[in-house]
Amino acid sequence: MTLRRVLVANRGEIAIRIFRACREASIETVAVYSDADVDAAHVAAADRAVRIGPPPARESYLNVDAILAAARDTAADAIHPGYGFLSENPQFARACEAAGLIFIGPAAETIEAMGSKIAARTAMETAGVPVVPGATPADQSDDGVLAAARSIGFPALVKASAGGGGKGMRLLSDASSALEEIRAARREAASAFGDGTLYIERYVERPRHVEIQVFGDSHGNVVHLFERECSIQRRHQKVIEESPSTAISPAVRQRMGEAAVTAASATRYRGAGTIEFLLEGSGEDARFYFLEMNTRLQVEHPVTEAVAGVDLVRAQLSVASGERLPWTQDSLSQRGHALECRVYAEDPAAGFLPQAGRLLLYREPAGPGIRIDAGVIEGANVPVMYDPLLAKLTVSHESRAAAIDRAIAALRTFPVLGIRTNIPFLIRVLDHPGFRSGRIHTGFIDEHLDALTKPPAVTHEALAAAATATTASAPTPGETSRSDVQDQYRAKDPWTALDGWGR
Amino acid sequence: MRRTVTLRSLDAEHRVETSDGRLVVDGVETEPPRRAYAIADGDQRWVFLDGEVHVFEVARQGRKRARSYQGTLTAPMPATVLRINTPAGTVVKRGDTLLVLEAMKMELPIRADADGTVTVVNCRIGDLVQPGVSLIELS
């Protein structure tokens, strides 16, 4: 069937990304929002918008009944879950189907099978895909999980079985601190996914994280769209992703791609998915292990879109309406180099503390090979209760070196003021000789933490600019004047008064 | 017109004089940067210059630098109180986790900055707390 109206059960940049694809496909769009997001950019980006509850995600973006009611009231015929929130919740996929709505994603049984790391691992072993040595605690008590960690040996990783994105994942370095970490992992798992079941596996030292994008349709076709290297991460939260990976040879790429297609075909996979691998070593000798399968669109999907020249969201919409994949394996190729930088509202100099508040100034870079996926606009308030991702910068260029130069130049013209962001940190990572050389691993950020996070030297130029700054305090309704220079800006829209300084 | 402003960075004070379009920073005549972004927010001055962000505070006459009140532990950002480990009267050691906040799906432990006894807990589980407000006090 042809989709006419799609509701996006998400917020921020991903909701806006999906609305764009819908508009291009002449599909009407419905946004949902919590009370914290009344003025959010994604609400303005849709054809209609429905309030679904108070600020906490549990009562809004995770509220299945409210989302289904919104879909019914707006006569939507499909729901796109985005990433995070309900995207990998099989009950939600089932509830959509029961309500006569198309869930834009794989079958509920596939989400269920892959969502449990335990079941996913078994399925991969059966399909002949290599897996990381691990243990499955049948006894899910804290002591039971600890015993399982002991039996595979320290260091070990404890993860939310229902998880993804690093939430609820902890490193157990020794037996003495393990219980506290297990309890913390369980709390984070329960709070993020509503399921505290934990999973334990061996910790591979200095590994890379390389994942393969797969895509299937409801006619049994499955292809892969090459790899994304996601080794630049911090506490299992990805920061910079790129394609191609510097670590794999064409032969290894082909083996990984084939393994991913085998794995996806075994689950009769429909829609966009990602097979994550741990990579040990590099070049022809690299060995890869199945880590997990994400049964959704990934945050870093623009990297694949850039090197493969495809639109993954548009393809999701086509496949959801029953069409065949727009590509065959042989029609796909990987061209040039793409890098994605995640711009987070966080303060790297203060232990990456998440930041909330108003974006007094926010100006996106533009130019050839520069793509911005943003969930905010200048003047927006970044709320405290959701993910701190503000925007994604994706650059593409002919070579990796040129792509790095382009990303750095773009970030140097990406001013965000009012709250701290990781933009200066991203520039330092990109410009680091270790990153430029391509010899990266998942511990790269921790290894170079001091150099990457130290505050900048105070320069005369910075002081000169600060001394002549104009106020950004907008005289918003109900807010009293708090600046002694505010009267300069009584006129017109306060944001038009802001400009680059000192031209 | 001649104007002087004193700006505080993390560890130093700086004087910037402006007159007739000339800028003198800490006694050195400085060419203004060609492309910078600067914003005032109350007494804070935010600057974006070539990919780095600087935040300064304008020093006002007769006003002392806001100092964190010793023995008071505050939220580093707006957050929800997830757990309170140490009710009033608990004897704690430096580094003990007194309470745990949650913000942006992350747990933020508030730890004792010294040995002492908890005198007052100013928040309850589930409260949304603002930065700078005292959550718990130690003697």
Side-chain angles (χ1 to χ4, degrees), chain A residues 206-436:
Chain A
R206 291 177 78 91
R208 286 176 182 248
H209 174 125
V210 178
E211 60 189 27
I212 302 280
Q213 175 74 50
V214 293
F215 219 112
D217 63 21
S218 44
H219 305 278
N221 303 303
V222 177
V223 298
H224 74 84
L225 293 100
F226 316 104
E227 81 279 14
R228 288 182 296 255
E229 156 89 58
C230 309
S231 298
I232 300 297
Q233 42 178 265
R234 201 188 63 84
R235 294 172 127 216
H236 310 288
Q237 227 14 301
K238 295 164 190 166
V239 180
I240 295 176
E241 301 98 337
E242 61 182 309
S243 185
S245 165
T246 56
I248 61 174
S249 65
V252 172
R253 174 172 301 117
Q254 189 171 345
R255 288 211 305 279
M256 289 178 81
E258 282 165 5
V261 168
T262 303
S265 301
T267 66
R268 300 177 54 79
Y269 198 79
R270 183 186 72 211
T274 295
I275 316 266
E276 296 190 344
F277 292 103
L278 267 189
L279 193 77
E280 249 182 340
S282 64
E284 298 295 338
D285 302 329
R287 274 173 303 166
F288 56 90
Y289 305 105
F290 171 80
L291 207 61
E292 63 185 53
M293 177 164 194
N294 298 319
T295 54
R296 55 167 158 85
L297 188 68
Q298 301 272 106
V299 177
E300 59 273 25
H301 74 275
V303 168
T304 298
E305 294 186 324
V307 293
V310 297
D311 184 330
L312 294 173
V313 181
R314 184 78 187 260
Q316 283 188 301
L317 298 172
S318 301
V319 164
S321 55
E323 291 171 30
R324 289 175 181 276
L325 283 182
W327 334 284
T328 62
Q329 191 65 62
D330 290 341
S331 75
L332 291 165
S333 62
Q334 202 178 15
R335 188 171 185 275
H337 199 96
L339 273 166
E340 179 189 86
C341 302
R342 300 191 187 188
V343 175
Y344 286 116
E346 64 184 17
D347 184 0
F352 296 89
L353 201 64
Q355 307 287 296
R358 195 165 293 280
L359 294 170
L360 300 178
L361 188 135
Y362 173 89
R363 304 286 165 90
E364 294 171 353
I370 293 175
R371 166 178 172 177
I372 299 282
D373 289 82
V376 295
I377 52 169
E378 187 164 278
N381 191 47
V382 178
V384 58
M385 56 285 292
Y386 310 118
D387 196 272
L389 182 68
L390 296 178
K392 306 182 306 202
L393 164 74
T394 309
V395 299
S396 47
H397 215 307
E398 293 165 33
S399 67
R400 185 172 188 269
I404 292 173
D405 291 341
R406 179 165 280 172
I408 292 172
L411 289 166
R412 283 188 178 146
T413 52
F414 196 167
V416 181
L417 298 177
I419 60 175
R420 294 274 185 180
T421 75
N422 66 337
I423 286 173
F425 169 80
L426 289 169
I427 294 171
R428 289 174 197 197
V429 173
L430 292 165
D431 208 18
H432 194 281
F435 182 83
R436 283 194 181 263

Side-chain angles (χ1 to χ4, degrees), chain A residues 13 23 43 65 84 92 102 110 124-125 132 158 170 174 225 234 291 312 343 372 384 402 468:
Chain A
E13 65 88 16
R23 257 200 310 282
V43 177
D65 291 341
F92 179 63
I102 294 174
T110 313
M124 291 304 139
E125 279 179 304
V132 180
V158 61
R170 298 270 170 157
D174 54 58
L225 293 100
R234 201 188 63 84
L291 207 61
L312 294 173
V343 175
I372 299 282
V384 58
T468 50

